[in-house]
Amino acid sequence: MDTLHYLGQGFDVALSPNNLVTALAGTTIGTIVGLLPGLGPINGVALLIPVAFALGLPPETALILLASVYLGCEYGGRISSILLNIPGEASAVMTTLDGYPLARQGKAGIALSISAWSSFVGGMIATLGVIIFAPLLAQWAVSFGPAEYFMLMVFAIVCLAGMAGDKPVKTAVAVLIGLMLSCVGIDANSGVYRFTFGSLGLSDGIQFVVLVLGLFSISEILMLLERTHHGQTALKASGRMLFNLKEGGSVLATNLRSGVMGFIFGVLPGAGATLASAVSYMSEKKLAGDSGRFGEGDLRGLAAPETANSASACGSMIPMLTLGIPGSGTTAVMLGALTLYNITPGPLLFQNQPDIVWGLIASLFIANIILIVMNVPMIKVFTRILSVPNWTLVPAIAIITSIGVYAVHATTFDLFLMIAIGVFGYLLRKLDFPLSALLLGFILGDMMESNLRRALSISNGDLGILFSSPIAIGLWVLVALMVALPFWRRYRAKRNLALANA
């Protein structure tokens, strides 16, 4: 009953005129950012953080704006994937496998409407999961001390590397780079300058907005300048614009399975929508067996990743709100936004500031409804936006990015640092290092260090405190399992290959 009471309060917050307009604006901006190839939710949320702060938006309104942009990006990423075979972001890659063949078959309208419906179902399933499980996890998390928090963050990092598919080493290296960057600046305990190289501009450390916009926006500008497309035009949605009951019924079970799976992957720190969409797609392909036409325009192959994308986006709010640990790269950016408002995420957030938490949860319902209502009628408009040439897009991104960074401290040093980080991020992308892992390492680094120092201070330097509770021991076991996972995958792959050749 308490949950329903707080949810009612959340809807009072989310349904206020200002917050409704904010949700509408956020979903619109997010959809546009998501459909533009390469930008994605991290860029969209990062660009709007300084805007929200400069406008003086209250924290609950700012969070509703950022969450709406996040969900809008997950919706928008499907549009360029289906019409142009160009994923707007990494999590939309799986959408191209069956979405684009459907468009080539003249079923673009059906594909777009099915994907919009699937995103809606996934978002609603995950939002219900947030309502049910977030308060329970918040109550459980009260028993966490500094040692448990440190181990939880170690688990998050190992989980990210262990689930990184074919490049766990590169993911681990990216995380380590992020951890090192988090150490730049004055040590809060000793006052010693660390890795500043005599520069006063680095004495406060690397600012979050500078790192995010450098890594993603500037590196993306360089990628756009490098990339060329000749003679590629958007496919027009013709024929039926909506799926029929038979087509909707054929993907209903897929929606439900992928929604639950996407929610679970969203809750896991570092897993994210990209992994959720890939696993859900492969699972549905295995379940379909010989009856499926995956890769040739199977509606289930389109519905599975789209449902998982949105479910993962909503599910990633749980570790951010209850544990203060980002469930994805985008929630890592949102976590930074909370710190700008001097809000400490964690289990006490539900007790001390319920309006912010439940207003955000209620806004997830509202944003999903806005998106499903808005998306289908706007298909033709979206296809026109896709025709924006790079000579217009690149300067626009550069201007918005520069304004966003300069607005933080009003120093040119931050602009030059952003450019340097952007070039470094571009090189990492060319070498196939995941930038989201670097960002997660940066976000978790400061919290890891402070919790480890607090734990060692409590125990007078005895490392045994890291093994002193059942929660800590359980997390050690999970860490060991996640470390072993890549090796088990490699062994199983070799064994299957040997059996196939036998």
Side-chain angles (χ1 to χ4, degrees):
M1 293 301 294
D2 287 341
T3 298
L4 294 177
H5 171 71
Y6 284 126
L7 184 61
Q9 287 185 345
F11 274 107
D12 288 340
V13 173
L15 291 173
S16 67
N18 287 340
N19 290 337
L20 273 178
V21 172
T22 300
L24 179 60
T27 51
T28 304
I29 294 170
T31 304
I32 294 172
V33 170
L35 66 89
L36 291 173
L39 293 185
I42 294 180
N43 284 315
V45 172
L47 288 170
L48 283 177
I49 287 176
V51 174
F53 197 67
L55 291 175
L57 296 180
E60 62 273 14
T61 303
L63 272 183
I64 289 172
L65 173 65
L66 299 181
S68 300
V69 170
Y70 187 11
L71 296 185
C73 287
E74 296 298 339
Y75 270 71
R78 68 192 171 81
I79 298 172
S80 57
S81 300
I82 292 171
L83 297 180
L84 281 175
N85 200 29
I86 301 175
E89 51 172 318
S91 61
V93 171
M94 306 306 293
T95 302
T96 63
L97 300 181
D98 285 279
Y100 188 63
L102 284 167
R104 297 286 295 178
Q105 296 166 18
K107 300 178 181 177
I110 297 172
L112 288 167
S113 60
I114 278 283
S115 65
W117 168 253
S118 298
S119 295
F120 173 75
V121 173
M124 297 302 280
I125 289 174
T127 304
L128 288 172
V130 172
I131 292 172
I132 295 170
F133 294 107
L136 298 175
L137 189 57
Q139 293 175 7
W140 174 65
V142 173
S143 59
F144 274 56
E148 287 78 12
Y149 266 113
F150 171 76
M151 284 308 306
L152 186 65
M153 292 166 199
V154 171
F155 170 67
I157 290 174
V158 174
C159 184
L160 178 66
M163 291 187 170
D166 59 346
K167 50 181 180 182
V169 175
K170 288 187 176 181
T171 304
V173 171
V175 172
L176 289 175
I177 293 173
L179 290 173
M180 288 190 292
L181 292 177
S182 71
C183 295
V184 174
I186 300 175
D187 186 346
N189 291 313
S190 64
V192 173
Y193 286 79
R194 304 189 300 188
F195 307 112
T196 59
F197 306 101
S199 171
L200 289 176
L202 291 174
S203 60
D204 286 337
I206 298 174
Q207 298 303 310
F208 175 78
V209 174
V210 174
L211 180 72
V212 171
L213 295 184
L215 276 180
F216 293 94
S217 292
I218 298 300
S219 68
E220 186 57 40
I221 288 173
L222 296 174
M223 296 293 287
L224 285 172
L225 290 173
E226 178 188 20
R227 213 178 292 142
T228 57
H229 297 285
H230 299 287
Q232 191 174 23
T233 57
L235 296 171
K236 293 183 180 180
S238 58
R240 266 194 301 129
M241 300 298 292
L242 292 173
F243 61 89
N244 56 33
L245 289 176
K246 181 180 179 181
E247 292 162 341
S250 68
V251 300
L252 182 58
T254 297
N255 289 148
L256 296 176
R257 284 192 295 264
S258 299
V260 174
M261 188 177 298
F263 172 71
I264 293 171
F265 275 95
V267 172
L268 288 174
T274 304
L275 188 61
S277 63
V279 173
S280 63
Y281 181 89
M282 297 308 297
S283 298
E284 289 301 316
K285 186 176 181 179
K286 286 183 179 179
L287 285 174
D290 296 334
S291 65
R293 295 177 57 249
F294 283 66
E296 301 175 10
D298 196 306
L299 289 177
R300 292 169 293 180
L302 173 62
E306 283 303 301
T307 308
N309 281 351
S310 290
S312 176
C314 294
S316 64
M317 300 291 176
I318 286 186
M320 182 190 75
L321 293 173
T322 59
L323 301 174
I325 293 177
S328 65
T330 309
T331 50
V333 179
M334 294 177 66
L335 193 64
L338 287 173
T339 61
L340 289 177
Y341 283 93
N342 294 320
I343 296 173
T344 303
L348 296 179
L349 186 62
F350 281 75
Q351 300 175 20
N352 298 338
Q353 295 173 302
D355 286 350
I356 292 176
V357 175
W358 290 100
L360 173 63
I361 293 173
S363 73
L364 298 178
F365 276 112
I366 295 169
N368 274 294
I369 293 172
I370 292 174
L371 284 163
I372 187 66
V373 171
M374 178 181 69
N375 265 253
V376 174
M378 295 289 286
I379 288 173
K380 292 183 179 180
V381 176
F382 293 148
T383 57
R384 290 174 185 170
I385 295 173
L386 284 171
S387 64
V388 175
N390 282 355
W391 62 265
T392 301
L393 185 62
V394 168
I397 296 173
I399 291 170
I400 295 172
T401 299
S402 300
I403 292 173
V405 166
Y406 191 78
V408 178
H409 282 155
T411 64
T412 55
F413 177 84
D414 285 348
L415 291 174
F416 287 114
L417 180 61
M418 176 189 69
I419 293 171
I421 292 173
V423 173
F424 179 60
Y426 168 76
L427 295 175
L428 289 178
R429 289 177 70 168
K430 296 295 290 182
L431 295 171
D432 202 26
F433 283 85
L435 298 186
S436 59
L438 191 155
L439 181 62
L440 284 171
F442 179 81
I443 289 290
L444 296 176
D446 183 58
M447 293 187 288
M448 282 183 67
E449 182 182 10
S450 61
N451 279 291
L452 178 60
R453 285 187 166 185
R454 285 169 55 202
L456 294 177
S457 176
I458 293 171
S459 66
N460 292 321
D462 183 7
L463 289 174
I465 192 172
L466 301 179
F467 305 87
S468 62
S469 71
I471 295 176
I473 294 172
L475 289 169
W476 274 112
V477 172
L478 291 175
V479 166
L481 291 174
M482 292 310 301
V483 169
L485 182 60
F487 298 100
W488 164 249
R489 282 178 174 168
R490 190 173 304 175
Y491 165 75
R492 191 174 61 176
K494 289 182 178 179
R495 188 184 65 179
N496 291 339
L497 181 63
L499 290 174
N501 294 331

